[in-house]
Amino acid sequence: MTEILDTTLREGEQTPYVNFTIDEKIHIARLLDQIGVDMIEAGDPSVSPNVATAIQRISALKLKAEIVAHSIAARSGIDKAKACGANRVAIFYATSKIHLDAKLHKTQEQAIDIIAEHVAYARSLGLKVRYTPEDATRTDFEFLVRVCNAAIEAGADRISFADTLGIMQPHIFYERVRDLRARLLPCKIDLHCHDDYGLALANGMAGIRAGADCIHTTVNGMGERTGIPDLAETVVAFHNLEGVEKYNLEPLMTISNYLENVSGFFLAPNKPITGQNAFSHKSGVHTNGILKDPRTYEPFDPAILGRERKIVIDKYTGKRAVQSRLDEYGIVVSEAELEVIVTRIKNMGDQRKQLFDTDIIEIAEQVTGRELDVIPHDINALLMLEVESHVYTTSVVRRLRGFTNVTQVYEITGDYDISAFVNVENMISLNNLIEEIRTVQGVKRTETRMVLKKYNGNNK
Ligand code: HCA
Ligand code: CU
């Protein structure tokens, strides 16, 4: 049965400019446990006292997942892993010629001794041990087999076959994993595939086919350079394509969004599974198919992720898509009117990049000559803002007061630091205002609440 080790908290925190707080790490670990990942690599305790504390706190949660601490081959690191209460230590030591010569200044024989000694030491402390030959895919294969078997003999029950530089291709990786499986003493094989050529998940899936047991992931594919396989892509690919049903798909969007918020590392719109456009359809041919039967252009139902499909209206749009959008607003038009509306939309789309629903309704109003009062005007909304911990709340307040549409600003206690009342003409202005406020330096997170009805207090 395929296993997943998620290393958002270790490899993911190696993403340039990303650091998590201890509380954020705990929240991430809980969400990972809800998804049901088999192992959580919680950090390398030698990196900093906070990393060590986070591992300790996560270990104390007694989650279902096994908690792994990463460590270089040094007794001090292994001792820290033990002190954190981790179930397992993952000891890494590079094995490729270039790493041994240029970085570690060790011979192959010295490396074997160091690895076996530290694996045995960790075992003597009662820790389960994974050994990772870093840069394994550029390591002489015969040496790789020797070094891994030495680690297994010393007590490691897992080997992480690390494609540290992401240089593998699925067919080659398949053969390597198959050969490694055949030559290793009994152990589980993890696959740690970097995504430098965009092949990480494909390599991982090929490796699982070849007999490996576990694939490493991070939320949103974070990690050194271009990262490693994305958790959501991995879970959904294994679920839909390989029939692996043991993971809970529902929190995948939540954890992806949470990571975007706390890391400031945002997804490209075309990112598979979790990207904004993953279930958006644009051309007339596609949207027409989707409206008749979504299976025409959707590889799977977005509802399995709690997502909805979206039909983009612009110059590529066909009649059926426009009609369905007008239906959503309860606007009924004749076939002749619809044709004119579509022509105007196409003309407008030729000139402008993005069409909003208000534009479409405005066109429908012009064409039908009827007033279609479906879009709310004069909107009041309450914006809740969380401020970055290192930024003064008052400096954000000052900036907010500079926006003409912001009518009142309050510093508050609780989950958010500031609430602001805004008054805008329509939804587009509200969207634009929120976008602008989000770019204010120090604003970490916003939540918008639309005012449905306003009442005055008794003394007003
Ligand atoms: C690194 C180490 C590692 C380790 C992978 C693992 C890699 O180079 O930062 O322990 O499974 O990519 O080799 O992330
Ligand atoms: Cu890595």
Side-chain angles (χ1 to χ4, degrees):
M1 185 52 123
T2 312
E3 297 167 326
I4 292 179
L5 172 141
D6 188 275
T7 177
T8 304
L9 302 180
R10 197 277 300 172
E11 177 82 52
E13 208 181 35
Q14 287 178 226
T15 307
Y17 317 116
V18 168
N19 286 293
F20 306 121
T21 66
I22 294 173
D23 286 341
E24 286 164 357
K25 286 188 174 178
I26 289 171
H27 188 66
I28 293 166
R30 285 189 193 282
L31 287 170
L32 289 171
D33 208 46
Q34 278 174 29
I35 291 161
V37 302
D38 304 86
M39 287 172 275
I40 295 173
E41 196 164 81
D44 178 338
S46 303
V47 168
S48 80
N50 262 14
V51 173
T53 308
I55 303 170
Q56 198 171 17
R57 299 261 311 271
I58 290 166
S59 299
L61 296 175
K62 301 283 171 235
L63 301 174
K64 292 190 290 302
E66 184 173 283
I67 306 302
V68 182
H70 213 241
S71 177
I72 55 165
R75 287 192 177 215
S76 57
I78 296 166
D79 287 338
K80 287 193 183 106
K82 173 74 185 169
C84 287
N87 306 109
R88 171 184 294 278
V89 63
I91 300 171
F92 71 108
Y93 197 91
T95 47
S96 62
K97 186 164 171 14
I98 174 86
H99 276 245
L100 286 175
D101 290 352
K103 186 180 86 175
L104 299 167
H105 309 296
K106 292 283 187 278
T107 64
Q108 290 188 340
E109 298 314 311
Q110 285 171 323
I112 291 192
D113 288 346
I114 292 167
I115 291 155
E117 183 205 320
H118 288 90
V119 170
Y121 177 67
R123 287 295 297 141
S124 76
L125 300 182
L127 289 162
K128 291 190 204 170
V129 182
R130 179 182 97 214
Y131 163 61
T132 301
E134 192 191 13
D135 203 13
T137 51
R138 290 195 305 176
T139 299
D140 171 74
F141 193 73
E142 288 307 316
F143 177 60
L144 183 69
V145 170
R146 271 181 66 209
V147 81
C148 290
N149 280 337
I152 297 166
E153 273 174 348
D157 64 352
R158 274 184 190 272
I159 297 295
S160 172
F161 189 32
D163 187 21
T164 307
L165 276 79
I167 51 155
M168 284 285 106
Q169 303 175 56
H171 66 286
I172 299 174
F173 200 57
Y174 179 94
E175 287 169 7
R176 295 274 184 98
V177 174
R178 182 195 59 197
D179 295 348
L180 196 64
R181 171 92 283 169
R183 300 278 305 276
L184 290 191
L185 295 168
C187 72
K188 289 214 172 181
I189 299 180
D190 287 25
L191 302 172
H192 183 93
C193 302
H194 274 265
D195 205 27
D196 295 70
Y197 288 100
L199 294 170
L201 179 55
N203 288 335
M205 292 183 82
I208 293 289
R209 283 257 154 176
D213 302 279
C214 173
I215 186 162
H216 291 191
T217 65
T218 56
V219 177
N220 297 344
M222 299 168 83
E224 289 277 352
R225 306 186 307 283
T226 54
I228 67 169
D230 166 48
L231 174 68
E233 287 178 29
T234 306
V235 169
V236 174
F238 274 100
H239 179 274
N240 290 359
L241 307 176
E242 297 280 4
V244 176
E245 292 186 349
K246 66 176 177 172
Y247 301 108
N248 180 11
L249 276 50
E250 202 199 295
L252 289 171
M253 287 308 297
T254 310
I255 196 166
S256 169
N257 292 338
Y258 182 73
L259 259 293
E260 278 193 304
N261 276 335
V262 297
S263 66
F265 177 90
F266 293 102
L267 298 182
N270 66 344
K271 160 93 179 42
I273 313 292
T274 42
Q276 199 190 322
N277 294 354
F279 305 100
S280 294
H281 307 278
K282 177 162 157 169
S283 89
V285 176
H286 284 231
T287 52
N288 186 28
I290 284 285
L291 289 166
K292 287 182 174 143
D293 184 337
R295 289 173 300 181
T296 51
Y297 287 102
E298 267 170 9
F300 60 89
D301 187 349
I304 67 168
L305 295 158
R307 297 196 64 178
E308 286 177 357
R309 68 186 56 98
K310 191 173 161 207
I311 291 189
V312 179
I313 306 264
D314 72 2
K315 67 174 181 201
Y316 280 83
T317 303
K319 276 199 290 190
R320 297 286 75 90
V322 175
Q323 184 171 37
S324 97
R325 184 63 60 90
L326 294 173
D327 283 349
E328 280 175 32
Y329 287 98
I331 300 170
V332 183
V333 296
S334 70
E335 193 64 21
E337 285 169 340
L338 184 63
E339 263 179 45
V340 186
I341 293 170
V342 172
T343 309
R344 292 224 190 152
I345 285 176
K346 283 181 183 287
N347 289 343
M348 226 174 146
D350 265 336
Q351 293 149 25
R352 286 172 49 169
K353 275 213 325 247
Q354 206 182 347
L355 275 171
F356 295 97
D357 282 7
T358 42
D359 299 313
I360 297 160
I361 287 157
E362 216 174 281
I363 293 173
E365 282 188 332
Q366 287 161 7
V367 170
T368 59
R370 282 178 273 138
E371 199 176 312
L372 307 168
D373 196 14
V374 286
I375 299 283
H377 290 278
D378 190 30
I379 295 170
N380 286 304
L382 175 62
L383 238 67
M384 316 290 281
L385 289 93
E386 189 183 337
V387 175
E388 302 275 5
S389 53
H390 59 275
V391 172
Y392 287 114
T393 308
T394 44
S395 76
V396 178
V397 167
R398 213 175 314 124
R399 299 283 299 279
L400 286 176
R401 292 179 62 201
F403 287 92
T404 40
N405 295 93
V406 172
T407 51
Q408 274 156 340
V409 183
Y410 300 93
E411 272 189 45
I412 54 171
T413 60
D415 286 352
Y416 291 90
D417 306 298
I418 297 174
S419 76
F421 276 97
V422 301
N423 177 265
V424 286
E425 220 174 278
N426 53 37
M427 286 299 285
I428 299 174
S429 318
L430 180 62
N431 270 331
N432 294 343
L433 180 64
I434 294 168
E435 286 306 318
E436 262 185 83
I437 288 179
R438 282 204 179 128
T439 62
V440 170
Q441 215 188 350
V443 172
K444 188 171 171 193
R445 186 161 70 105
T446 67
E447 196 180 300
T448 308
R449 304 197 173 158
M450 304 264 293
V451 175
L452 298 176
K453 271 187 183 175
K454 187 178 167 200
Y455 302 93
N456 282 333
N458 283 339
N459 55 1
K460 279 266 169 87

